[in-house]
Amino acid sequence: MREIKSLIDKLTRENFLTKEELKRLLENLNEDTRDYLIQRAYDVRKLNYGNSVFLRGLIEISNICKYDCHYCGIRASNHKVSRYRLSKDQILDCCHKGYLLGYRTFVLQGGEDSYFTDEILIEIIKELKTQYKDIAVTLSLGERGRESFQRLYEAGADRYLLRHETANKKLYEKLHPKMSYENRIESLHILKEIGYQVGSGFLIGLPGLKLKDYAEDLMLLKQLKPHMVGIGPFIPHPATPLKDEVGGTAYDTITLLAIIRLLLPDVLLPATTALGTIDPKGREKGFKAGANVIMPNLSPMNCREKYSLYEGKKFLGNESAEEKIKIEKNILDSGFEPILTRGDNIKWKRK
Ligand code: SAM
């Protein structure tokens, strides 16, 4: 136990552990040392961002996807999904509604839908940036190549979320037909070079992975130094090849949130919808372990059910951007402070 506490102290002090040390930590945590880890993560988050929890409005712009990721409910071969795509005006309307509610970051996420060419996205981004001077635009639209990433950045996009999903190359390629692990990682480096605030992250509980295996993902994050990290439990979807798998736990997710806060002290770290879906208190527990972002849903109400990445995905109550007052109250009640400004990473400046 003393050895594990001293590993946590080293991680807190140096923001670094070797892969072997990370494995040892992950394999040997008990209730006591895990509480100690979470407390250190809370202290570090407080030092960097105080008690702030940044709110972002999430707009799911399309559930049409050309890819077939084995875990994802909107994969191309799931013919049971009723498909939708928002028009430019619908997207602008969602942002307008969000702006009036007070949101100042809009996250445009979607399946890999080739309708959304650079030209269409550039029009949307430019219109948003002209209309609202104090907002940040985040994109989460998959791998698009250097030229496209560059054009979208020049149009005004500020951030890009692209999880690496798993640092296990063999597993990555098994779960992502026709995609390459190298390309995923290369895309993340390109996004950083261009100047985006970059978010990576991974799924917890993919088949065959044990807690110690996430040492690989943590090393990758430490190397990439993203500005944001999105991790969440994998939750099986009944119309996917992984439907009979168990999925990830809130417990492991929270442990990993705390380790990430210590590895990357200034990272923006969401308590994800998936975490809030498997544990009604998941987000509050996440904040206490170092998470400092939430992304309530701003999509049109009649589309939310169709963006069904996993079984039971929540989009009402605390997950719904319209419930801002309720969300703010819950954040305050758990001892944190809701913040609606753009909330950039403290180390980032636009090039
Ligand atoms: N196409 C974009 C991309 O690949 O980055 C963004 C859309 S994708 C649906 C957004 C995220 O959903 C993925 O990064 C993945 O981690 C998550 N996701 C998909 N299926 C999931 C599941 N069954 N459980 C939890 N998260 C899931």
PDB file of all heavy atoms in Angstrom, residues 65 69 71-74 109-112 140-143 160-163 165 179 184 202-203 232-237 240 274 307 309-311, ligand 1:
ATOM      1  N   CYS A  65     -23.445   7.338 -41.219  1.00  0.00           N
ATOM      2  CA  CYS A  65     -22.020   7.056 -41.084  1.00  0.00           C
ATOM      3  C   CYS A  65     -21.589   6.006 -42.084  1.00  0.00           C
ATOM      4  O   CYS A  65     -22.257   4.992 -42.261  1.00  0.00           O
ATOM      5  CB  CYS A  65     -21.710   6.595 -39.660  1.00  0.00           C
ATOM      6  SG  CYS A  65     -19.928   6.600 -39.344  1.00  0.00           S
ATOM      7  N   CYS A  69     -17.889   0.739 -37.153  1.00  0.00           N
ATOM      8  CA  CYS A  69     -17.234   0.444 -35.868  1.00  0.00           C
ATOM      9  C   CYS A  69     -18.084  -0.569 -35.089  1.00  0.00           C
ATOM     10  O   CYS A  69     -19.296  -0.382 -34.935  1.00  0.00           O
ATOM     11  CB  CYS A  69     -17.032   1.732 -35.071  1.00  0.00           C
ATOM     12  SG  CYS A  69     -16.191   3.010 -36.038  1.00  0.00           S
ATOM     13  N   TYR A  71     -18.601  -1.328 -32.117  1.00  0.00           N
ATOM     14  CA  TYR A  71     -19.298  -1.003 -30.857  1.00  0.00           C
ATOM     15  C   TYR A  71     -20.408   0.021 -31.047  1.00  0.00           C
ATOM     16  O   TYR A  71     -21.198   0.243 -30.141  1.00  0.00           O
ATOM     17  CB  TYR A  71     -18.283  -0.439 -29.831  1.00  0.00           C
ATOM     18  CG  TYR A  71     -17.352   0.599 -30.401  1.00  0.00           C
ATOM     19  CD1 TYR A  71     -17.765   1.908 -30.597  1.00  0.00           C
ATOM     20  CD2 TYR A  71     -16.049   0.258 -30.777  1.00  0.00           C
ATOM     21  CE1 TYR A  71     -16.914   2.852 -31.149  1.00  0.00           C
ATOM     22  CE2 TYR A  71     -15.191   1.195 -31.333  1.00  0.00           C
ATOM     23  CZ  TYR A  71     -15.634   2.490 -31.524  1.00  0.00           C
ATOM     24  OH  TYR A  71     -14.801   3.423 -32.078  1.00  0.00           O
ATOM     25  N   CYS A  72     -20.484   0.641 -32.217  1.00  0.00           N
ATOM     26  CA  CYS A  72     -21.285   1.863 -32.325  1.00  0.00           C
ATOM     27  C   CYS A  72     -22.672   1.616 -32.910  1.00  0.00           C
ATOM     28  O   CYS A  72     -22.828   0.987 -33.961  1.00  0.00           O
ATOM     29  CB  CYS A  72     -20.526   2.875 -33.191  1.00  0.00           C
ATOM     30  SG  CYS A  72     -21.361   4.471 -33.253  1.00  0.00           S
ATOM     31  N   GLY A  73     -23.681   2.146 -32.247  1.00  0.00           N
ATOM     32  CA  GLY A  73     -25.083   1.948 -32.656  1.00  0.00           C
ATOM     33  C   GLY A  73     -25.446   2.604 -33.977  1.00  0.00           C
ATOM     34  O   GLY A  73     -26.423   2.200 -34.616  1.00  0.00           O
ATOM     35  N   ILE A  74     -24.675   3.607 -34.422  1.00  0.00           N
ATOM     36  CA  ILE A  74     -25.035   4.240 -35.705  1.00  0.00           C
ATOM     37  C   ILE A  74     -24.127   3.747 -36.838  1.00  0.00           C
ATOM     38  O   ILE A  74     -24.024   4.374 -37.889  1.00  0.00           O
ATOM     39  CB  ILE A  74     -25.049   5.790 -35.619  1.00  0.00           C
ATOM     40  CG1 ILE A  74     -23.685   6.362 -35.222  1.00  0.00           C
ATOM     41  CG2 ILE A  74     -26.126   6.266 -34.639  1.00  0.00           C
ATOM     42  CD1 ILE A  74     -23.568   7.891 -35.427  1.00  0.00           C
ATOM     43  N   GLN A 109     -21.024  17.371 -33.602  1.00  0.00           N
ATOM     44  CA  GLN A 109     -20.547  15.986 -33.714  1.00  0.00           C
ATOM     45  C   GLN A 109     -21.423  15.203 -34.664  1.00  0.00           C
ATOM     46  O   GLN A 109     -22.626  15.498 -34.781  1.00  0.00           O
ATOM     47  CB  GLN A 109     -20.549  15.308 -32.342  1.00  0.00           C
ATOM     48  CG  GLN A 109     -19.762  14.004 -32.377  1.00  0.00           C
ATOM     49  CD  GLN A 109     -19.943  13.164 -31.129  1.00  0.00           C
ATOM     50  OE1 GLN A 109     -20.950  12.495 -30.955  1.00  0.00           O
ATOM     51  NE2 GLN A 109     -18.941  13.197 -30.272  1.00  0.00           N
ATOM     52  N   GLY A 110     -20.850  14.208 -35.325  1.00  0.00           N
ATOM     53  CA  GLY A 110     -21.679  13.395 -36.191  1.00  0.00           C
ATOM     54  C   GLY A 110     -20.980  12.163 -36.688  1.00  0.00           C
ATOM     55  O   GLY A 110     -19.769  12.009 -36.546  1.00  0.00           O
ATOM     56  N   GLY A 111     -21.778  11.286 -37.280  1.00  0.00           N
ATOM     57  CA  GLY A 111     -21.231  10.142 -37.993  1.00  0.00           C
ATOM     58  C   GLY A 111     -20.475  10.669 -39.196  1.00  0.00           C
ATOM     59  O   GLY A 111     -20.530  11.864 -39.505  1.00  0.00           O
ATOM     60  N   GLU A 112     -19.771   9.788 -39.890  1.00  0.00           N
ATOM     61  CA  GLU A 112     -18.936  10.268 -41.013  1.00  0.00           C
ATOM     62  C   GLU A 112     -19.780  10.277 -42.279  1.00  0.00           C
ATOM     63  O   GLU A 112     -19.881   9.300 -43.007  1.00  0.00           O
ATOM     64  CB  GLU A 112     -17.647   9.475 -41.058  1.00  0.00           C
ATOM     65  CG  GLU A 112     -17.050   9.668 -39.687  1.00  0.00           C
ATOM     66  CD  GLU A 112     -15.604   9.443 -39.490  1.00  0.00           C
ATOM     67  OE1 GLU A 112     -14.831   9.589 -40.431  1.00  0.00           O
ATOM     68  OE2 GLU A 112     -15.274   9.132 -38.335  1.00  0.00           O
ATOM     69  N   SER A 140     -16.343  17.405 -34.161  1.00  0.00           N
ATOM     70  CA  SER A 140     -16.048  16.004 -33.869  1.00  0.00           C
ATOM     71  C   SER A 140     -16.665  15.189 -34.993  1.00  0.00           C
ATOM     72  O   SER A 140     -17.763  14.654 -34.879  1.00  0.00           O
ATOM     73  CB  SER A 140     -16.626  15.633 -32.500  1.00  0.00           C
ATOM     74  OG  SER A 140     -16.421  14.264 -32.227  1.00  0.00           O
ATOM     75  N   LEU A 141     -15.950  15.181 -36.121  1.00  0.00           N
ATOM     76  CA  LEU A 141     -16.515  14.644 -37.364  1.00  0.00           C
ATOM     77  C   LEU A 141     -15.586  13.624 -38.002  1.00  0.00           C
ATOM     78  O   LEU A 141     -15.655  13.375 -39.206  1.00  0.00           O
ATOM     79  CB  LEU A 141     -16.790  15.815 -38.331  1.00  0.00           C
ATOM     80  CG  LEU A 141     -17.759  16.887 -37.784  1.00  0.00           C
ATOM     81  CD1 LEU A 141     -17.749  18.138 -38.649  1.00  0.00           C
ATOM     82  CD2 LEU A 141     -19.179  16.340 -37.674  1.00  0.00           C
ATOM     83  N   GLY A 142     -14.707  13.048 -37.213  1.00  0.00           N
ATOM     84  CA  GLY A 142     -13.855  11.976 -37.705  1.00  0.00           C
ATOM     85  C   GLY A 142     -12.649  12.460 -38.479  1.00  0.00           C
ATOM     86  O   GLY A 142     -12.284  13.632 -38.446  1.00  0.00           O
ATOM     87  N   GLU A 143     -12.035  11.483 -39.185  1.00  0.00           N
ATOM     88  CA  GLU A 143     -10.775  11.759 -39.903  1.00  0.00           C
ATOM     89  C   GLU A 143     -11.096  12.392 -41.246  1.00  0.00           C
ATOM     90  O   GLU A 143     -11.797  11.803 -42.055  1.00  0.00           O
ATOM     91  CB  GLU A 143     -10.026  10.438 -40.122  1.00  0.00           C
ATOM     92  CG  GLU A 143      -9.576   9.799 -38.826  1.00  0.00           C
ATOM     93  CD  GLU A 143      -9.187   8.340 -38.998  1.00  0.00           C
ATOM     94  OE1 GLU A 143      -8.584   7.990 -40.023  1.00  0.00           O
ATOM     95  OE2 GLU A 143      -9.512   7.555 -38.095  1.00  0.00           O
ATOM     96  N   TYR A 160     -11.001  20.256 -31.888  1.00  0.00           N
ATOM     97  CA  TYR A 160     -11.392  19.046 -32.616  1.00  0.00           C
ATOM     98  C   TYR A 160     -11.286  17.843 -31.685  1.00  0.00           C
ATOM     99  O   TYR A 160     -10.246  17.636 -31.052  1.00  0.00           O
ATOM    100  CB  TYR A 160     -10.489  18.834 -33.841  1.00  0.00           C
ATOM    101  CG  TYR A 160     -11.199  18.071 -34.936  1.00  0.00           C
ATOM    102  CD1 TYR A 160     -11.719  18.707 -36.053  1.00  0.00           C
ATOM    103  CD2 TYR A 160     -11.386  16.686 -34.832  1.00  0.00           C
ATOM    104  CE1 TYR A 160     -12.397  18.008 -37.052  1.00  0.00           C
ATOM    105  CE2 TYR A 160     -12.065  15.986 -35.816  1.00  0.00           C
ATOM    106  CZ  TYR A 160     -12.559  16.650 -36.927  1.00  0.00           C
ATOM    107  OH  TYR A 160     -13.235  15.956 -37.909  1.00  0.00           O
ATOM    108  N   LEU A 161     -12.374  17.100 -31.598  1.00  0.00           N
ATOM    109  CA  LEU A 161     -12.385  15.894 -30.756  1.00  0.00           C
ATOM    110  C   LEU A 161     -12.280  14.663 -31.647  1.00  0.00           C
ATOM    111  O   LEU A 161     -13.086  14.478 -32.558  1.00  0.00           O
ATOM    112  CB  LEU A 161     -13.699  15.777 -29.973  1.00  0.00           C
ATOM    113  CG  LEU A 161     -14.112  16.952 -29.085  1.00  0.00           C
ATOM    114  CD1 LEU A 161     -15.490  16.691 -28.462  1.00  0.00           C
ATOM    115  CD2 LEU A 161     -13.067  17.142 -27.977  1.00  0.00           C
ATOM    116  N   LEU A 162     -11.290  13.850 -31.380  1.00  0.00           N
ATOM    117  CA  LEU A 162     -11.087  12.623 -32.156  1.00  0.00           C
ATOM    118  C   LEU A 162     -10.463  11.599 -31.212  1.00  0.00           C
ATOM    119  O   LEU A 162      -9.235  11.561 -31.038  1.00  0.00           O
ATOM    120  CB  LEU A 162     -10.155  12.913 -33.349  1.00  0.00           C
ATOM    121  CG  LEU A 162      -9.942  11.777 -34.334  1.00  0.00           C
ATOM    122  CD1 LEU A 162     -11.160  11.623 -35.260  1.00  0.00           C
ATOM    123  CD2 LEU A 162      -8.702  12.027 -35.189  1.00  0.00           C
ATOM    124  N   ARG A 163     -11.299  10.797 -30.595  1.00  0.00           N
ATOM    125  CA  ARG A 163     -10.736   9.823 -29.661  1.00  0.00           C
ATOM    126  C   ARG A 163      -9.884   8.800 -30.404  1.00  0.00           C
ATOM    127  O   ARG A 163     -10.255   8.394 -31.512  1.00  0.00           O
ATOM    128  CB  ARG A 163     -11.868   9.064 -28.962  1.00  0.00           C
ATOM    129  CG  ARG A 163     -12.676   9.896 -27.997  1.00  0.00           C
ATOM    130  CD  ARG A 163     -13.754   9.012 -27.398  1.00  0.00           C
ATOM    131  NE  ARG A 163     -14.476   9.666 -26.342  1.00  0.00           N
ATOM    132  CZ  ARG A 163     -15.479   9.088 -25.678  1.00  0.00           C
ATOM    133  NH1 ARG A 163     -15.867   7.849 -25.982  1.00  0.00           N
ATOM    134  NH2 ARG A 163     -16.108   9.727 -24.716  1.00  0.00           N
ATOM    135  N   GLU A 165      -9.707   5.919 -29.271  1.00  0.00           N
ATOM    136  CA  GLU A 165     -10.604   4.790 -28.947  1.00  0.00           C
ATOM    137  C   GLU A 165      -9.911   3.656 -28.188  1.00  0.00           C
ATOM    138  O   GLU A 165     -10.401   3.206 -27.182  1.00  0.00           O
ATOM    139  CB  GLU A 165     -11.334   4.209 -30.172  1.00  0.00           C
ATOM    140  CG  GLU A 165     -11.981   5.230 -31.108  1.00  0.00           C
ATOM    141  CD  GLU A 165     -13.179   5.989 -30.530  1.00  0.00           C
ATOM    142  OE1 GLU A 165     -13.551   5.750 -29.381  1.00  0.00           O
ATOM    143  OE2 GLU A 165     -13.741   6.851 -31.235  1.00  0.00           O
ATOM    144  N   MET A 179     -10.377   0.983 -41.366  1.00  0.00           N
ATOM    145  CA  MET A 179      -9.721   2.165 -40.791  1.00  0.00           C
ATOM    146  C   MET A 179      -8.335   1.734 -40.325  1.00  0.00           C
ATOM    147  O   MET A 179      -8.109   0.551 -40.063  1.00  0.00           O
ATOM    148  CB  MET A 179     -10.530   2.716 -39.610  1.00  0.00           C
ATOM    149  CG  MET A 179     -11.886   3.248 -40.041  1.00  0.00           C
ATOM    150  SD  MET A 179     -12.880   3.827 -38.653  1.00  0.00           S
ATOM    151  CE  MET A 179     -12.226   5.455 -38.406  1.00  0.00           C
ATOM    152  N   ARG A 184      -5.302   7.215 -37.543  1.00  0.00           N
ATOM    153  CA  ARG A 184      -5.969   7.869 -36.414  1.00  0.00           C
ATOM    154  C   ARG A 184      -4.961   8.729 -35.639  1.00  0.00           C
ATOM    155  O   ARG A 184      -5.198   9.895 -35.345  1.00  0.00           O
ATOM    156  CB  ARG A 184      -6.555   6.780 -35.495  1.00  0.00           C
ATOM    157  CG  ARG A 184      -7.561   7.264 -34.494  1.00  0.00           C
ATOM    158  CD  ARG A 184      -8.849   7.550 -35.175  1.00  0.00           C
ATOM    159  NE  ARG A 184      -9.968   7.810 -34.304  1.00  0.00           N
ATOM    160  CZ  ARG A 184     -11.171   8.125 -34.761  1.00  0.00           C
ATOM    161  NH1 ARG A 184     -11.408   8.204 -36.056  1.00  0.00           N
ATOM    162  NH2 ARG A 184     -12.156   8.374 -33.932  1.00  0.00           N
ATOM    163  N   PHE A 202     -10.401   7.506 -24.965  1.00  0.00           N
ATOM    164  CA  PHE A 202     -10.591   6.080 -25.265  1.00  0.00           C
ATOM    165  C   PHE A 202     -11.824   5.526 -24.561  1.00  0.00           C
ATOM    166  O   PHE A 202     -12.390   6.165 -23.665  1.00  0.00           O
ATOM    167  CB  PHE A 202      -9.324   5.293 -24.899  1.00  0.00           C
ATOM    168  CG  PHE A 202      -8.865   5.464 -23.462  1.00  0.00           C
ATOM    169  CD1 PHE A 202      -9.254   4.588 -22.470  1.00  0.00           C
ATOM    170  CD2 PHE A 202      -8.035   6.531 -23.107  1.00  0.00           C
ATOM    171  CE1 PHE A 202      -8.829   4.735 -21.161  1.00  0.00           C
ATOM    172  CE2 PHE A 202      -7.596   6.699 -21.795  1.00  0.00           C
ATOM    173  CZ  PHE A 202      -7.992   5.790 -20.827  1.00  0.00           C
ATOM    174  N   LEU A 203     -12.211   4.348 -25.037  1.00  0.00           N
ATOM    175  CA  LEU A 203     -13.368   3.658 -24.457  1.00  0.00           C
ATOM    176  C   LEU A 203     -12.884   2.709 -23.369  1.00  0.00           C
ATOM    177  O   LEU A 203     -11.865   2.029 -23.541  1.00  0.00           O
ATOM    178  CB  LEU A 203     -14.090   2.869 -25.552  1.00  0.00           C
ATOM    179  CG  LEU A 203     -14.950   3.705 -26.490  1.00  0.00           C
ATOM    180  CD1 LEU A 203     -15.310   2.920 -27.744  1.00  0.00           C
ATOM    181  CD2 LEU A 203     -16.223   4.170 -25.778  1.00  0.00           C
ATOM    182  N   GLY A 232     -14.839   7.336 -21.640  1.00  0.00           N
ATOM    183  CA  GLY A 232     -16.137   6.933 -21.132  1.00  0.00           C
ATOM    184  C   GLY A 232     -16.268   5.443 -21.247  1.00  0.00           C
ATOM    185  O   GLY A 232     -15.522   4.791 -21.993  1.00  0.00           O
ATOM    186  N   PRO A 233     -17.226   4.890 -20.484  1.00  0.00           N
ATOM    187  CA  PRO A 233     -17.429   3.445 -20.563  1.00  0.00           C
ATOM    188  C   PRO A 233     -17.994   3.054 -21.926  1.00  0.00           C
ATOM    189  O   PRO A 233     -18.851   3.759 -22.463  1.00  0.00           O
ATOM    190  CB  PRO A 233     -18.459   3.177 -19.456  1.00  0.00           C
ATOM    191  CG  PRO A 233     -19.181   4.474 -19.271  1.00  0.00           C
ATOM    192  CD  PRO A 233     -18.181   5.553 -19.592  1.00  0.00           C
ATOM    193  N   PHE A 234     -17.520   1.958 -22.477  1.00  0.00           N
ATOM    194  CA  PHE A 234     -18.180   1.355 -23.635  1.00  0.00           C
ATOM    195  C   PHE A 234     -19.476   0.726 -23.113  1.00  0.00           C
ATOM    196  O   PHE A 234     -19.463  -0.002 -22.119  1.00  0.00           O
ATOM    197  CB  PHE A 234     -17.256   0.314 -24.275  1.00  0.00           C
ATOM    198  CG  PHE A 234     -17.987  -0.801 -24.951  1.00  0.00           C
ATOM    199  CD1 PHE A 234     -18.867  -0.528 -26.003  1.00  0.00           C
ATOM    200  CD2 PHE A 234     -17.827  -2.123 -24.540  1.00  0.00           C
ATOM    201  CE1 PHE A 234     -19.581  -1.557 -26.620  1.00  0.00           C
ATOM    202  CE2 PHE A 234     -18.522  -3.154 -25.148  1.00  0.00           C
ATOM    203  CZ  PHE A 234     -19.402  -2.865 -26.188  1.00  0.00           C
ATOM    204  N   ILE A 235     -20.587   1.077 -23.769  1.00  0.00           N
ATOM    205  CA  ILE A 235     -21.883   0.505 -23.377  1.00  0.00           C
ATOM    206  C   ILE A 235     -22.414  -0.261 -24.589  1.00  0.00           C
ATOM    207  O   ILE A 235     -22.556   0.331 -25.675  1.00  0.00           O
ATOM    208  CB  ILE A 235     -22.880   1.621 -22.972  1.00  0.00           C
ATOM    209  CG1 ILE A 235     -22.285   2.499 -21.854  1.00  0.00           C
ATOM    210  CG2 ILE A 235     -24.233   1.027 -22.549  1.00  0.00           C
ATOM    211  CD1 ILE A 235     -23.144   3.708 -21.467  1.00  0.00           C
ATOM    212  N   PRO A 236     -22.675  -1.564 -24.454  1.00  0.00           N
ATOM    213  CA  PRO A 236     -23.086  -2.343 -25.624  1.00  0.00           C
ATOM    214  C   PRO A 236     -24.405  -1.848 -26.224  1.00  0.00           C
ATOM    215  O   PRO A 236     -25.282  -1.371 -25.505  1.00  0.00           O
ATOM    216  CB  PRO A 236     -23.257  -3.764 -25.073  1.00  0.00           C
ATOM    217  CG  PRO A 236     -22.481  -3.777 -23.810  1.00  0.00           C
ATOM    218  CD  PRO A 236     -22.535  -2.392 -23.248  1.00  0.00           C
ATOM    219  N   HIS A 237     -24.475  -1.923 -27.545  1.00  0.00           N
ATOM    220  CA  HIS A 237     -25.711  -1.563 -28.261  1.00  0.00           C
ATOM    221  C   HIS A 237     -26.273  -2.866 -28.841  1.00  0.00           C
ATOM    222  O   HIS A 237     -25.526  -3.652 -29.438  1.00  0.00           O
ATOM    223  CB  HIS A 237     -25.383  -0.564 -29.368  1.00  0.00           C
ATOM    224  CG  HIS A 237     -26.593  -0.063 -30.079  1.00  0.00           C
ATOM    225  ND1 HIS A 237     -27.338  -0.860 -30.928  1.00  0.00           N
ATOM    226  CD2 HIS A 237     -27.218   1.141 -30.058  1.00  0.00           C
ATOM    227  CE1 HIS A 237     -28.366  -0.156 -31.400  1.00  0.00           C
ATOM    228  NE2 HIS A 237     -28.304   1.056 -30.876  1.00  0.00           N
ATOM    229  N   THR A 240     -25.378  -4.369 -32.560  1.00  0.00           N
ATOM    230  CA  THR A 240     -23.970  -4.339 -32.987  1.00  0.00           C
ATOM    231  C   THR A 240     -23.319  -5.688 -32.673  1.00  0.00           C
ATOM    232  O   THR A 240     -23.828  -6.449 -31.832  1.00  0.00           O
ATOM    233  CB  THR A 240     -23.184  -3.243 -32.223  1.00  0.00           C
ATOM    234  OG1 THR A 240     -23.220  -3.564 -30.822  1.00  0.00           O
ATOM    235  CG2 THR A 240     -23.748  -1.862 -32.443  1.00  0.00           C
ATOM    236  N   ALA A 274     -22.004   9.033 -21.382  1.00  0.00           N
ATOM    237  CA  ALA A 274     -21.975   7.579 -21.149  1.00  0.00           C
ATOM    238  C   ALA A 274     -21.780   7.289 -19.655  1.00  0.00           C
ATOM    239  O   ALA A 274     -22.421   6.386 -19.100  1.00  0.00           O
ATOM    240  CB  ALA A 274     -20.865   6.936 -21.974  1.00  0.00           C
ATOM    241  N   TYR A 307     -29.729   9.297 -32.409  1.00  0.00           N
ATOM    242  CA  TYR A 307     -28.271   9.294 -32.272  1.00  0.00           C
ATOM    243  C   TYR A 307     -27.922   8.316 -31.150  1.00  0.00           C
ATOM    244  O   TYR A 307     -27.341   8.661 -30.126  1.00  0.00           O
ATOM    245  CB  TYR A 307     -27.758  10.706 -31.962  1.00  0.00           C
ATOM    246  CG  TYR A 307     -26.280  10.911 -32.267  1.00  0.00           C
ATOM    247  CD1 TYR A 307     -25.840  11.167 -33.564  1.00  0.00           C
ATOM    248  CD2 TYR A 307     -25.325  10.845 -31.261  1.00  0.00           C
ATOM    249  CE1 TYR A 307     -24.494  11.351 -33.846  1.00  0.00           C
ATOM    250  CE2 TYR A 307     -23.979  11.029 -31.527  1.00  0.00           C
ATOM    251  CZ  TYR A 307     -23.569  11.281 -32.825  1.00  0.00           C
ATOM    252  OH  TYR A 307     -22.224  11.465 -33.104  1.00  0.00           O
ATOM    253  N   LEU A 309     -25.916   5.814 -29.883  1.00  0.00           N
ATOM    254  CA  LEU A 309     -24.614   5.151 -29.962  1.00  0.00           C
ATOM    255  C   LEU A 309     -24.602   3.876 -29.133  1.00  0.00           C
ATOM    256  O   LEU A 309     -23.915   2.921 -29.437  1.00  0.00           O
ATOM    257  CB  LEU A 309     -23.519   6.090 -29.434  1.00  0.00           C
ATOM    258  CG  LEU A 309     -23.440   7.483 -30.040  1.00  0.00           C
ATOM    259  CD1 LEU A 309     -22.289   8.264 -29.439  1.00  0.00           C
ATOM    260  CD2 LEU A 309     -23.284   7.387 -31.560  1.00  0.00           C
ATOM    261  N   TYR A 310     -25.378   3.882 -28.041  1.00  0.00           N
ATOM    262  CA  TYR A 310     -25.407   2.741 -27.129  1.00  0.00           C
ATOM    263  C   TYR A 310     -26.763   2.693 -26.452  1.00  0.00           C
ATOM    264  O   TYR A 310     -27.535   3.653 -26.493  1.00  0.00           O
ATOM    265  CB  TYR A 310     -24.285   2.828 -26.082  1.00  0.00           C
ATOM    266  CG  TYR A 310     -24.132   4.197 -25.456  1.00  0.00           C
ATOM    267  CD1 TYR A 310     -24.942   4.606 -24.405  1.00  0.00           C
ATOM    268  CD2 TYR A 310     -23.189   5.107 -25.944  1.00  0.00           C
ATOM    269  CE1 TYR A 310     -24.809   5.871 -23.856  1.00  0.00           C
ATOM    270  CE2 TYR A 310     -23.046   6.367 -25.399  1.00  0.00           C
ATOM    271  CZ  TYR A 310     -23.861   6.743 -24.358  1.00  0.00           C
ATOM    272  OH  TYR A 310     -23.738   7.996 -23.823  1.00  0.00           O
ATOM    273  N   GLU A 311     -27.044   1.552 -25.834  1.00  0.00           N
ATOM    274  CA  GLU A 311     -28.340   1.328 -25.201  1.00  0.00           C
ATOM    275  C   GLU A 311     -28.578   2.320 -24.055  1.00  0.00           C
ATOM    276  O   GLU A 311     -27.705   2.545 -23.209  1.00  0.00           O
ATOM    277  CB  GLU A 311     -28.344  -0.103 -24.640  1.00  0.00           C
ATOM    278  CG  GLU A 311     -29.577  -0.431 -23.856  1.00  0.00           C
ATOM    279  CD  GLU A 311     -30.249  -1.677 -24.403  1.00  0.00           C
ATOM    280  OE1 GLU A 311     -29.716  -2.768 -24.204  1.00  0.00           O
ATOM    281  OE2 GLU A 311     -31.320  -1.523 -25.029  1.00  0.00           O
TER     282      GLU A 311
HETATM  283  N1  SAM B   1     -17.405  10.058 -36.171  1.00  0.00           N
HETATM  284  C1  SAM B   1     -16.735  10.795 -35.168  1.00  0.00           C
HETATM  285  C2  SAM B   1     -15.526  10.061 -34.664  1.00  0.00           C
HETATM  286  O1  SAM B   1     -15.311   8.906 -35.013  1.00  0.00           O
HETATM  287  O2  SAM B   1     -14.754  10.649 -33.907  1.00  0.00           O
HETATM  288  C3  SAM B   1     -17.639  11.228 -34.030  1.00  0.00           C
HETATM  289  C4  SAM B   1     -18.858  10.435 -33.764  1.00  0.00           C
HETATM  290  S1  SAM B   1     -18.568   8.980 -32.790  1.00  0.00           S
HETATM  291  C5  SAM B   1     -20.189   8.294 -32.778  1.00  0.00           C
HETATM  292  C6  SAM B   1     -18.347   9.688 -31.171  1.00  0.00           C
HETATM  293  C7  SAM B   1     -17.848   8.762 -30.085  1.00  0.00           C
HETATM  294  O3  SAM B   1     -18.894   7.895 -29.681  1.00  0.00           O
HETATM  295  C8  SAM B   1     -16.723   7.843 -30.446  1.00  0.00           C
HETATM  296  O4  SAM B   1     -15.491   8.490 -30.286  1.00  0.00           O
HETATM  297  C9  SAM B   1     -16.924   6.661 -29.497  1.00  0.00           C
HETATM  298  O5  SAM B   1     -15.926   6.597 -28.487  1.00  0.00           O
HETATM  299  C10 SAM B   1     -18.306   6.909 -28.879  1.00  0.00           C
HETATM  300  N2  SAM B   1     -19.135   5.688 -28.902  1.00  0.00           N
HETATM  301  C11 SAM B   1     -19.588   5.033 -29.989  1.00  0.00           C
HETATM  302  N3  SAM B   1     -20.239   3.894 -29.626  1.00  0.00           N
HETATM  303  C12 SAM B   1     -20.195   3.841 -28.271  1.00  0.00           C
HETATM  304  C13 SAM B   1     -20.660   2.898 -27.307  1.00  0.00           C
HETATM  305  N4  SAM B   1     -21.298   1.781 -27.666  1.00  0.00           N
HETATM  306  N5  SAM B   1     -20.438   3.153 -25.995  1.00  0.00           N
HETATM  307  C14 SAM B   1     -19.804   4.293 -25.611  1.00  0.00           C
HETATM  308  N6  SAM B   1     -19.337   5.213 -26.487  1.00  0.00           N
HETATM  309  C15 SAM B   1     -19.505   4.983 -27.802  1.00  0.00           C
END
